[in-house]
Amino acid sequence: MSKNDKDMPENADLMSALMSGPGKLAETMFAPFAGAAAQGSNPPLPSLSPEDMQHWAKVATQLQGMWMQFQMEQAGKAGQKLAQPGKMPSPMLQPQDWQEMSETWFQQMPWANPAWQKQLLEDGLNLWKDVLGQFGMVPGSAEAKSEDEQGIALPLRDRRFADPKWSAHPVAALVHQTYLFLSQRLDQLADEMTGLSKPQKDQLRFLTKTITEAASPANFAAANPVVLQRTLESRGENLVKGMEHLLADLKEGQLTHTDRSAFKLGENIATTPGKVVHETDLFQLIQYSPTTDKVMETPLVIFPPWINRFYILDLNAKKSFVKWAVDQGITVFMVSWRSADSSMKDVIWDDYVRGQIEAIDHIRERLKVPSVHAIGYCVAGTTLAATLSLLKRRGEDDKVKSATFFTAQIDFKKAGELLNFIDDQQLATIKALSSDGYLDGRYMAAAFNMLRSKDLIWNYVVNNYMLGEDYPAFDLLHWNGDVTNLPAKWHQDYLRDLYRDNRLVQADSLSVDNTPIDVGIVDVPTYVQAGREDHIAPAQSVWKITEHFKGPIRFLLAGSGHIAGVVNPPSSGKYQYWINEGAIENGVKSLDEFVAGATEHPGSWWPDWLAWLNEQDPKQIAPKGKRKPGSKGDKVIEDAPGRYVMTR
């Protein structure tokens, strides 16, 4: 025994279990369940009749048969590639890789600090004493109060354990309180690590959060009292239904969030009337039909991100930014990018920049106008910045009258948790998964889900696989799961050159279409929207556009995140936005300084953007000729939303 061991509490086996590996972490958390059966449950478990026993045997046989059938099907597909259906879309979602990730994390953590170990045990024992004391199970504590007296006030709270069943029994209470306590201490340990660079420390924090969220007792049927009660009430039918959901997702290679059969493009989503008026191998260009007697003379073209489908901006009539803009008298064009396949193996970023310029030029020629207003959303906004720089260098910047950026980054120094996916090992893994010249969109979906695994992975594991609940019919979740494939060369270049090396803001470090790029020369009037809670393009990162562009900029901070912060129609009455009038012109240098002097406005920011757009060019005209796509003499390709958005 070392000199430090004598200072440890007698039951140091708790720490020994914690030190022996990530698997022991969960084992330690769930240890109180071991004696629950012997002590009896509260309320007591019902006795099983012969009929019940027969039913449970049937359920067990059914579950076993379903799994064996799936395994046989998988064995028959053993020669298929990972990207094909029947394989999980991301290594991070395979059990062996969760184990590898856990081992990597365990090796990085500084477990050997005796003072930390001692404090952990002392605080942990105090927590157990507090929790068990509320149930009258500690000598000297008051007798446990009934549920009607509402006497249980557990010290740690989390919405995953909000159901009263987590507090109704001392075992369930102790398990989830121990888990929350350990999670907090592990987060603290990661924060206090020394000797790491900032990227290394950020990655350790992210890995710690990922591991602890995966280890939640809510994610294990045997440890989740809500699942146990549902299983008893339904006599195991929830497990059968959950197995059906699980196997369907395994075959699809993607976690399901919503009822996929509830939505159909052009019928109840992406329904704003319009026509496809131009088409290339990379994109289709949609023009929407006018609904007003007068329209702005300068049309608007929207460049959505090609890592998702464009109809996030046209979900339904009530949520559609497209329909709202059309109803405000704007001639709206939308680019619908093609989902990549092996024929796009040589597509690079230059092609997307050239695609944006081609769309702009086609609109100018079609409507006989000198310029357009342009919106770039997320990665398409990053690309729009390069497009504007290229046009400026070529003396053609008058083609774009104004530019709007939805949650877009050009300076990736503060790009947030996605930076955890771009080290050399991660890039090599992504390259290996793109052998056919494109990256299966399910990999990207899995990566984005990992950023919010508590909400976008484990919540659905519990609800759909364990509780056997039906999938909701939710258009936003349907869009979120409607993935697109990405050209492999472009994706590698984007992660390496922009995210990792941050070359877009280094003047002339990158060239596009044989033209050096310098975003510092962009001087077009610009509207920049950021989401206060955006975890994909953090507001601090979006703000940095103001440090590079030279023209007039109106910056707006919207409530919510990457999607809801953008798709927030005035009719919803939700969220808010912040404006600091004249802040940038008056020398405000940081987002914190901007917020400190900002005024909060309730509701949607869309009307603020519309007022700004009108200031750029208030002239209106009647929507005649090709302003009405598909009218007499106007040759179009097909109805909106077009074929490209439907390809998989």
Side-chain angles (χ1 to χ4, degrees):
M1 177 181 291
S2 70
K3 66 177 183 178
N4 291 316
D5 288 339
K6 64 183 181 181
D7 296 327
M8 301 288 283
E10 288 185 2
N11 56 349
D13 58 326
L14 173 65
M15 182 55 63
S16 298
L18 281 173
M19 296 302 103
S20 64
K24 293 295 185 181
L25 176 62
E27 181 180 314
T28 303
M29 290 177 177
F30 306 145
F33 274 110
Q39 297 174 7
S41 58
N42 181 25
L45 294 175
S47 59
L48 296 179
S49 66
E51 181 183 356
D52 289 331
M53 294 179 67
Q54 185 178 13
H55 180 83
W56 281 105
K58 178 182 176 183
V59 167
T61 301
Q62 190 175 359
L63 290 171
Q64 184 180 31
M66 293 167 69
W67 183 251
M68 291 181 63
Q69 177 65 31
F70 171 74
Q71 294 283 40
M72 291 174 61
E73 293 174 0
Q74 294 303 97
K77 298 178 180 179
Q80 292 189 356
K81 296 179 181 179
L82 180 64
Q84 292 178 321
K87 297 289 184 179
M88 292 300 288
S90 168
M92 300 190 76
L93 296 183
Q94 296 183 33
Q96 65 269 26
D97 292 288
W98 278 104
Q99 179 64 24
E100 291 176 9
M101 182 169 60
S102 299
E103 291 174 356
T104 299
W105 166 76
F106 186 77
Q107 293 167 2
Q108 290 179 328
M109 295 292 277
W111 302 107
N113 184 331
W116 181 83
Q117 296 178 11
K118 183 174 184 292
Q119 190 64 51
L120 177 72
L121 280 174
E122 290 178 353
D123 292 346
L125 290 172
N126 287 333
L127 174 72
W128 281 33
K129 183 177 180 180
D130 184 354
V131 172
L132 294 177
Q134 296 193 51
F135 291 91
M137 298 176 66
V138 175
S141 64
E143 292 186 3
K145 299 179 182 180
S146 67
E147 290 187 32
D148 292 338
E149 294 177 287
Q150 298 180 349
I152 305 301
L154 299 176
L156 303 176
R157 296 183 179 276
D158 187 284
R159 56 189 172 84
R160 288 171 289 179
F161 310 105
D163 191 290
K165 297 178 187 63
W166 283 103
S167 303
H169 191 281
V171 172
L174 196 62
V175 164
H176 86 266
Q177 289 290 293
T178 301
Y179 161 75
L180 291 173
F181 165 74
L182 291 175
S183 296
Q184 289 181 357
R185 292 308 169 91
L186 292 173
D187 287 343
Q188 181 182 357
L189 190 62
D191 284 339
E192 295 174 353
M193 274 283 288
T194 59
L196 298 178
S197 65
K198 186 179 185 304
Q200 289 173 325
K201 195 163 188 176
D202 289 342
Q203 192 168 59
L204 181 60
R205 288 193 187 103
F206 177 76
L207 198 55
T208 301
K209 184 191 75 165
T210 301
I211 293 293
T212 55
E213 288 182 355
S216 167
N219 303 336
F220 298 86
N224 189 325
V226 181
V227 174
L228 291 174
Q229 179 164 328
R230 176 71 61 83
T231 303
L232 290 172
E233 291 174 347
S234 71
R235 300 202 300 174
E237 294 301 325
N238 61 305
L239 300 180
V240 174
K241 195 169 185 178
M243 179 66 79
E244 292 174 351
H245 290 157
L246 172 61
L247 296 183
D249 284 356
L250 288 173
K251 292 174 184 178
E252 185 70 20
Q254 185 178 356
L255 184 68
T256 298
H257 292 126
T258 189
D259 180 1
R260 292 178 179 146
S261 65
F263 300 99
K264 189 170 182 180
L265 288 164
E267 293 187 6
N268 56 0
I269 50 175
T271 58
T272 302
K275 304 290 184 182
V276 176
V277 298
H278 182 62
E279 179 178 301
T280 74
D281 290 339
L282 188 61
F283 70 92
Q284 287 187 319
L285 183 64
I286 301 168
Q287 181 183 354
Y288 293 95
S289 302
T291 60
T292 57
D293 294 334
K294 295 284 186 179
V295 295
M296 292 183 183
E297 182 179 42
T298 303
L300 170 71
V301 59
I302 302 175
F303 298 112
W306 48 89
I307 59 177
N308 298 110
R309 307 287 180 175
F310 80 82
Y311 64 86
I312 184 58
L313 296 174
D314 190 27
L315 280 176
N316 61 48
K318 292 183 178 179
K319 298 178 183 177
S320 173
F321 177 83
V322 170
K323 184 180 186 306
W324 178 84
V326 170
D327 289 344
Q328 308 313 306
I330 302 174
T331 301
V332 178
F333 289 81
M334 174 71 74
V335 166
S336 175
W337 302 104
R338 180 181 164 199
S339 181
D341 56 28
S342 58
S343 69
M344 297 173 63
K345 61 184 177 64
D346 293 322
V347 169
I348 57 177
W349 197 33
D350 301 47
D351 296 295
Y352 285 97
V353 173
R354 285 191 290 260
Q356 289 190 345
I357 294 174
E358 181 173 350
I360 291 168
D361 285 342
H362 182 83
I363 295 168
R364 293 171 58 247
E365 174 61 28
R366 175 178 171 82
L367 300 186
K368 308 302 180 187
V369 293
S371 60
V372 302
H373 299 297
I375 292 177
Y377 192 169
C378 189
V379 61
T382 306
T383 306
L384 179 59
T387 297
L388 296 173
S389 172
L390 186 150
L391 292 175
K392 182 70 175 179
R393 272 269 161 83
R394 293 178 174 176
E396 299 175 355
D397 50 308
D398 58 349
K399 292 181 178 181
V400 179
K401 186 174 286 285
S402 77
T404 297
F405 294 84
F406 291 172
T407 63
Q409 304 170 92
I410 65 169
D411 185 330
F412 290 80
K413 184 177 181 180
K414 297 182 178 181
E417 289 185 332
L418 276 175
L419 291 172
N420 294 306
F421 293 90
I422 57 160
D423 60 24
D424 290 340
Q425 182 178 356
Q426 295 275 9
L427 291 176
T429 299
I430 293 171
K431 184 176 182 179
L433 295 172
S434 309
S435 58
D436 288 332
Y438 68 94
L439 180 69
D440 191 314
R442 293 173 294 182
Y443 288 93
M444 284 294 294
F448 283 122
N449 287 343
M450 287 292 293
L451 296 180
R452 296 177 57 194
S453 62
K454 182 163 61 175
D455 296 323
L456 295 178
I457 296 178
W458 302 114
N459 177 54
Y460 291 92
V461 167
V462 173
N463 288 339
N464 302 126
Y465 298 165
M466 298 182 191
L467 295 175
E469 294 181 353
D470 292 327
Y471 292 111
F474 189 10
D475 50 11
L476 179 57
L477 290 177
H478 175 84
W479 167 85
N480 189 59
D482 191 3
V483 299
T484 58
N485 303 328
L486 305 176
K489 283 187 178 180
W490 167 82
H491 189 56
Q492 283 280 312
D493 291 347
Y494 182 75
L495 293 179
R496 182 185 60 252
D497 293 342
L498 276 67
Y499 261 95
R500 191 189 70 183
D501 298 338
N502 203 21
R503 294 177 62 189
L504 183 57
V505 292
Q506 301 171 32
D508 300 340
S509 175
L510 293 174
S511 291
V512 173
D513 201 25
N514 299 314
T515 303
I517 296 299
D518 179 7
V519 295
I521 64 174
V522 174
D523 58 4
V524 63
T526 300
Y527 190 101
V528 179
Q529 179 268 344
R532 183 181 61 173
E533 300 166 15
D534 195 333
H535 63 286
I536 295 174
Q540 290 278 3
S541 186
V542 175
W543 165 265
K544 294 183 77 64
I545 291 178
T546 67
E547 300 174 8
H548 298 283
F549 284 5
K550 300 304 181 186
I553 299 176
R554 183 171 181 81
F555 183 90
L556 177 142
L557 182 65
S560 197
H562 197 69
I563 303 302
V566 173
V567 185
N568 183 29
S571 60
S572 70
K574 295 174 65 176
Y575 308 125
Q576 67 285 100
Y577 63 92
W578 290 264
I579 286 287
N580 188 337
E581 298 291 352
I584 297 172
E585 295 86 341
N586 293 328
V588 168
K589 298 298 184 183
S590 70
L591 179 63
D592 290 340
E593 189 178 351
F594 174 91
V595 172
T599 300
E600 180 178 340
H601 301 270
S604 172
W605 57 270
W606 293 4
D608 182 85
W609 170 79
L610 179 65
W612 174 86
L613 195 68
N614 275 308
E615 290 175 1
Q616 311 312 309
D617 183 12
K619 186 176 180 180
Q620 295 189 336
I621 61 173
K624 297 179 180 179
K626 291 187 178 181
R627 292 275 177 166
K628 296 183 176 181
S631 59
K632 185 177 180 180
D634 183 24
K635 185 178 180 180
V636 298
I637 297 172
E638 60 188 348
D639 290 338
R643 302 187 318 282
Y644 282 10
V645 74
M646 299 181 183
T647 58
R648 297 292 174 266

